[in-house]
Protein backbone atom coordinates (compact mmCIF):
# COMPACT_ATOMS: atom_id res chain seq x y z
CA UNK A 1 0.00 0.00 0.00
CA UNK A 2 3.01 2.28 -0.16
CA UNK A 3 2.92 5.12 -2.66
CA UNK A 4 5.88 7.04 -4.06
CA UNK A 5 6.11 10.41 -5.76
CA UNK A 6 8.36 10.56 -8.84
CA UNK A 7 9.94 14.00 -9.13
CA UNK A 8 11.32 14.76 -12.58
CA UNK A 9 14.75 16.43 -12.34
CA UNK A 10 15.91 16.36 -15.98
CA UNK A 11 13.54 15.28 -18.75
CA UNK A 12 16.25 14.79 -21.38
CA UNK A 13 18.40 12.51 -19.21
CA UNK A 14 15.43 11.01 -17.33
CA UNK A 15 16.86 12.00 -13.96
CA UNK A 16 14.36 11.60 -11.12
CA UNK A 17 14.01 11.62 -7.36
CA UNK A 18 11.81 9.05 -5.59
CA UNK A 19 9.95 10.40 -2.55
CA UNK A 20 7.91 8.36 -0.10
CA UNK A 21 4.46 9.93 -0.22
CA UNK A 22 3.61 9.68 3.48
CA UNK A 23 6.94 10.53 5.16
CA UNK A 24 8.26 12.91 2.49
CA UNK A 25 11.68 11.19 2.64
CA UNK A 26 13.73 10.32 -0.44
CA UNK A 27 15.40 7.07 -1.49
CA UNK A 28 19.16 7.69 -1.42
CA UNK A 29 22.23 5.56 -1.93
CA UNK A 30 25.79 5.48 -0.66
CA UNK A 31 27.96 2.92 -2.47
CA UNK A 32 25.61 -0.12 -2.66
CA UNK A 33 23.48 0.72 0.39
CA UNK A 34 20.10 2.44 0.30
CA UNK A 35 18.31 4.54 2.88
CA UNK A 36 15.53 7.11 3.32
CA UNK A 37 16.45 10.69 4.12
CA UNK A 38 15.47 14.31 3.60
CA UNK A 39 17.20 16.36 0.90
CA UNK A 40 19.09 18.46 3.45
CA UNK A 41 22.20 16.28 3.41
CA UNK A 42 23.81 15.22 0.10
CA UNK A 43 20.86 15.85 -2.25
CA UNK A 44 22.79 14.29 -5.17
CA UNK A 45 22.50 10.92 -3.42
CA UNK A 46 18.77 11.04 -4.20
CA UNK A 47 19.13 11.30 -7.99
CA UNK A 48 18.25 8.26 -10.12
CA UNK A 49 18.07 7.64 -13.86
CA UNK A 50 15.26 5.87 -15.68
CA UNK A 51 16.18 3.59 -18.58
CA UNK A 52 13.39 2.32 -20.83
CA UNK A 53 13.46 -1.42 -21.44
CA UNK A 54 10.58 -2.59 -23.64
CA UNK A 55 7.43 -1.86 -21.59
CA UNK A 56 9.40 -1.58 -18.31
CA UNK A 57 12.00 0.69 -16.74
CA UNK A 58 15.37 0.06 -15.16
CA UNK A 59 16.30 2.41 -12.31
CA UNK A 60 19.99 3.32 -11.94
CA UNK A 61 21.61 5.43 -9.25
CA UNK A 62 23.34 8.30 -11.03
CA UNK A 63 26.39 8.50 -8.72
CA UNK A 64 27.18 4.79 -8.62
CA UNK A 65 25.67 3.49 -11.86
CA UNK A 66 24.18 0.55 -9.92
CA UNK A 67 20.68 -0.75 -10.60
CA UNK A 68 17.71 -1.26 -8.32
CA UNK A 69 16.83 -4.98 -8.41
CA UNK A 70 15.50 -7.98 -6.50
CA UNK A 71 17.84 -10.63 -7.87
CA UNK A 72 18.58 -12.04 -4.38
CA UNK A 73 14.87 -11.98 -3.42
CA UNK A 74 15.33 -8.71 -1.53
CA UNK A 75 15.83 -5.12 -2.64
CA UNK A 76 19.39 -4.57 -3.83
CA UNK A 77 21.51 -1.99 -5.56
CA UNK A 78 24.10 -3.70 -7.76
CA UNK A 79 25.28 -4.33 -11.31
CA UNK A 80 22.53 -6.09 -13.23
CA UNK A 81 22.15 -7.71 -16.62
CA UNK A 82 19.66 -5.64 -18.68
CA UNK A 83 17.68 -8.76 -19.55
CA UNK A 84 17.11 -9.83 -15.94
CA UNK A 85 13.47 -9.39 -14.92
CA UNK A 86 14.66 -8.59 -11.37
CA UNK A 87 15.77 -5.12 -12.54
CA UNK A 88 12.60 -4.34 -14.51
CA UNK A 89 10.03 -2.03 -12.93
CA UNK A 90 6.63 -0.66 -13.85
CA UNK A 91 5.03 2.51 -12.52
CA UNK A 92 1.34 2.35 -11.57
CA UNK A 93 -0.63 5.52 -10.90
CA UNK A 94 -1.59 5.34 -7.21
CA UNK A 95 -3.18 8.78 -6.97
CA UNK A 96 -6.35 8.79 -4.91
CA UNK A 97 -9.31 9.48 -7.24
CA UNK A 98 -11.06 11.90 -4.88
CA UNK A 99 -11.56 15.65 -5.03
CA UNK A 100 -13.19 18.18 -2.72
CA UNK A 101 -15.73 19.19 -5.39
CA UNK A 102 -17.47 15.81 -5.13
CA UNK A 103 -19.50 14.12 -2.41
CA UNK A 104 -18.97 10.47 -1.47
CA UNK A 105 -20.63 7.57 0.30
CA UNK A 106 -18.34 5.47 2.51
CA UNK A 107 -19.51 1.85 2.57
CA UNK A 108 -18.22 -1.05 4.66
CA UNK A 109 -17.28 -4.15 2.68
CA UNK A 110 -18.47 -6.61 5.35
CA UNK A 111 -21.97 -5.31 6.09
CA UNK A 112 -22.58 -2.88 3.18
CA UNK A 113 -23.52 -0.26 5.80
CA UNK A 114 -22.67 3.39 5.18
CA UNK A 115 -20.85 5.87 7.38
CA UNK A 116 -23.40 8.25 8.92
CA UNK A 117 -24.17 10.48 11.91
CA UNK A 118 -26.85 9.27 14.38
CA UNK A 119 -27.71 11.59 16.10
CA UNK A 120 -24.67 13.69 15.47
CA UNK A 121 -22.25 10.86 16.29
CA UNK A 122 -20.42 8.69 13.74
CA UNK A 123 -21.86 5.23 13.18
CA UNK A 124 -22.93 3.02 10.27
CA UNK A 125 -26.37 2.26 8.88
CA UNK A 126 -27.74 0.36 5.89
CA UNK A 127 -30.29 3.12 5.30
CA UNK A 128 -27.90 6.06 5.56
CA UNK A 129 -27.77 8.67 2.83
CA UNK A 130 -24.99 10.87 4.22
CA UNK A 131 -22.48 12.54 1.97
CA UNK A 132 -18.82 13.12 2.82
CA UNK A 133 -16.39 15.59 1.26
CA UNK A 134 -12.77 14.41 1.08
CA UNK A 135 -10.21 17.17 1.44
CA UNK A 136 -6.63 16.33 0.51
CA UNK A 137 -4.17 17.97 2.91
CA UNK A 138 -1.64 20.02 0.97
CA UNK A 139 0.72 20.26 3.95
CA UNK A 140 0.93 16.48 4.45
CA UNK A 141 1.22 14.24 1.40
CA UNK A 142 -1.15 11.29 1.37
CA UNK A 143 -3.42 12.57 4.12
CA UNK A 144 -7.06 13.64 3.92
CA UNK A 145 -9.85 15.06 6.05
CA UNK A 146 -13.47 13.87 5.92
CA UNK A 147 -16.11 16.59 6.18
CA UNK A 148 -19.77 15.71 6.69
CA UNK A 149 -21.69 17.37 3.88
CA UNK A 150 -24.75 18.65 5.74
CA UNK A 151 -23.29 19.42 9.19
CA UNK A 152 -19.97 20.78 7.78
CA UNK A 153 -18.23 19.08 10.73
CA UNK A 154 -15.02 17.06 10.42
CA UNK A 155 -14.65 13.38 11.29
CA UNK A 156 -12.19 12.97 14.18
CA UNK A 157 -10.77 10.27 16.43
CA UNK A 158 -9.09 10.44 19.84
CA UNK A 159 -8.15 7.27 21.73
CA UNK A 160 -10.71 5.33 19.65
CA UNK A 161 -13.41 7.87 20.49
CA UNK A 162 -15.00 8.89 17.18
CA UNK A 163 -16.81 12.18 16.81
CA UNK A 164 -17.41 15.13 14.48
CA UNK A 165 -16.41 18.68 15.30
CA UNK A 166 -15.13 21.92 13.82
CA UNK A 167 -11.66 21.60 12.34
CA UNK A 168 -10.13 23.63 15.15
CA UNK A 169 -9.15 22.96 17.85
CA UNK A 170 -7.30 19.61 17.61
CA UNK A 171 -7.14 19.59 13.79
CA UNK A 172 -4.60 16.73 13.98
CA UNK A 173 -7.41 14.42 15.13
CA UNK A 174 -9.09 14.98 11.75
CA UNK A 175 -6.06 13.67 9.81
CA UNK A 176 -6.68 10.34 8.08
CA UNK A 177 -4.78 8.29 5.54
CA UNK A 178 -6.58 6.31 2.83
CA UNK A 179 -4.73 3.13 1.84
CA UNK A 180 -5.57 0.99 -1.17
CA UNK A 181 -6.36 -2.63 -0.37
CA UNK A 182 -7.24 -4.49 -3.55
CA UNK A 183 -10.51 -3.02 -4.83
CA UNK A 184 -11.19 -1.42 -1.44
CA UNK A 185 -9.62 1.06 0.96
CA UNK A 186 -8.44 1.02 4.56
CA UNK A 187 -8.85 4.28 6.48
CA UNK A 188 -6.48 5.03 9.35
CA UNK A 189 -6.50 7.94 11.80
CA UNK A 190 -3.01 9.35 12.19
CA UNK A 191 -3.54 10.43 15.80
CA UNK A 192 -4.32 6.80 16.66
CA UNK A 193 -1.79 5.00 14.46
CA UNK A 194 0.84 4.55 17.17
CA UNK A 195 1.49 0.85 16.44
CA UNK A 196 1.14 -1.21 13.22
CA UNK A 197 -2.46 -1.87 12.16
CA UNK A 198 -3.80 0.45 14.87
CA UNK A 199 -6.19 3.34 14.30
CA UNK A 200 -8.04 1.70 11.38
CA UNK A 201 -11.71 2.45 10.89
CA UNK A 202 -13.66 -0.81 11.32
CA UNK A 203 -16.89 -2.40 12.55
CA UNK A 204 -15.43 -5.72 13.69
CA UNK A 205 -17.39 -5.57 16.98
CA UNK A 206 -20.53 -4.40 15.16
CA UNK A 207 -19.76 -0.85 16.28
CA UNK A 208 -17.64 1.81 14.63
CA UNK A 209 -14.07 1.93 15.95
CA UNK A 210 -10.66 3.24 14.95
CA UNK A 211 -8.34 0.71 16.57
CA UNK A 212 -6.12 -2.30 15.93
CA UNK A 213 -7.47 -4.75 13.37
CA UNK A 214 -6.23 -7.47 10.98
CA UNK A 215 -5.79 -6.00 7.44
CA UNK A 216 -7.51 -8.92 5.67
CA UNK A 217 -10.75 -8.61 7.65
CA UNK A 218 -13.61 -7.19 5.60
CA UNK A 219 -14.71 -5.16 8.66
CA UNK A 220 -11.90 -2.62 8.05
CA UNK A 221 -12.24 -2.43 4.29
CA UNK A 222 -14.35 0.29 2.69
CA UNK A 223 -15.55 1.38 -0.72
CA UNK A 224 -15.69 5.10 -1.38
CA UNK A 225 -18.18 5.91 -4.12
CA UNK A 226 -19.54 9.14 -5.59
CA UNK A 227 -22.88 9.82 -3.88
CA UNK A 228 -25.86 9.21 -6.13
Amino acid sequence: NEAWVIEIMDTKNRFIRIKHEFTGLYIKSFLDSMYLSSLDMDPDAAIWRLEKYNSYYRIAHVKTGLYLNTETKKLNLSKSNPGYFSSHWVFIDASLPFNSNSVYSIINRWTKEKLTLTPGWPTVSANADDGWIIHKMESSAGLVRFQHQSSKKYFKSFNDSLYVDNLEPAADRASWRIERYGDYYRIVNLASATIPNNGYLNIEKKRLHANEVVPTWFSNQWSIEPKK
Side-chain angles (χ1 to χ4, degrees):
N1 295 310
E2 300 293 319
W4 302 85
V5 178
I6 306 300
E7 297 182 348
I8 307 299
M9 304 297 299
D10 183 328
T11 304
K12 180 180 178 180
N13 293 305
R14 291 182 171 171
F15 288 176
I16 63 168
R17 290 193 295 235
I18 306 171
K19 181 172 70 174
H20 188 245
E21 183 185 38
F22 178 54
T23 64
L25 301 178
Y26 291 81
I27 300 181
K28 293 184 176 181
S29 175
F30 176 71
L31 299 178
D32 62 350
S33 65
M34 288 176 290
Y35 59 99
L36 288 174
S37 176
S38 68
L39 286 179
D40 297 340
M41 299 291 291
D42 194 9
D44 288 347
I47 301 178
W48 302 79
R49 183 180 68 251
L50 293 180
E51 297 179 2
K52 195 83 166 89
Y53 192 91
N54 296 327
S55 58
Y56 295 88
Y57 288 94
R58 303 179 77 220
I59 304 173
H61 191 251
V62 170
K63 269 191 171 182
T64 65
L66 300 178
Y67 288 84
L68 205 60
N69 69 83
T70 59
E71 185 62 29
T72 61
K73 307 301 182 183
K74 64 179 183 179
L75 193 62
N76 292 303
L77 193 64
S78 64
K79 294 181 179 179
S80 180
N81 188 305
Y84 287 177
F85 288 3
S86 58
S87 68
H88 297 176
W89 303 86
V90 62
F91 295 91
I92 299 173
D93 186 359
S95 303
L96 294 175
F98 312 120
N99 67 77
S100 58
N101 295 319
S102 299
V103 180
Y104 299 91
S105 295
I106 302 173
I107 308 162
N108 186 262
R109 181 180 184 181
W110 186 27
T111 65
K112 312 306 180 188
E113 294 174 303
K114 298 178 182 179
L115 185 63
T116 183
L117 300 182
T118 309
W121 291 92
T123 185
V124 290
S125 171
N127 300 316
D129 192 38
D130 298 61
W132 297 86
I133 300 169
I134 300 175
H135 299 280
K136 293 181 181 179
M137 296 172 57
E138 295 181 1
S139 59
S140 302
L143 302 187
V144 301
R145 295 186 176 115
F146 295 95
Q147 184 181 32
H148 190 252
Q149 182 188 20
S150 60
S151 71
K152 308 303 181 186
K153 304 285 187 180
Y154 287 83
F155 188 27
K156 294 185 175 184
S157 177
F158 180 68
N159 291 337
D160 193 25
S161 177
L162 298 169
Y163 63 103
V164 292
D165 197 1
N166 295 325
L167 185 57
E168 297 289 354
D172 60 308
R173 298 179 184 177
S175 299
W176 301 79
R177 184 173 70 243
I178 301 176
E179 301 177 353
R180 294 180 184 274
Y181 197 89
D183 294 331
Y184 294 86
Y185 298 97
R186 301 178 75 213
I187 302 170
V188 59
N189 183 266
L190 271 294
S192 306
T194 54
I195 60 175
N197 292 316
N198 196 41
Y200 283 86
L201 194 66
N202 71 88
I203 56 168
E204 182 60 31
K205 297 180 179 179
K206 302 300 178 67
R207 290 183 56 191
L208 195 63
H209 291 276
N211 56 13
E212 188 175 4
V213 67
V214 177
T216 56
W217 291 352
F218 287 7
S219 59
N220 79 134
Q221 298 174 21
W222 305 81
S223 59
I224 303 175
E225 303 174 358
K227 189 174 179 294
K228 298 177 181 179

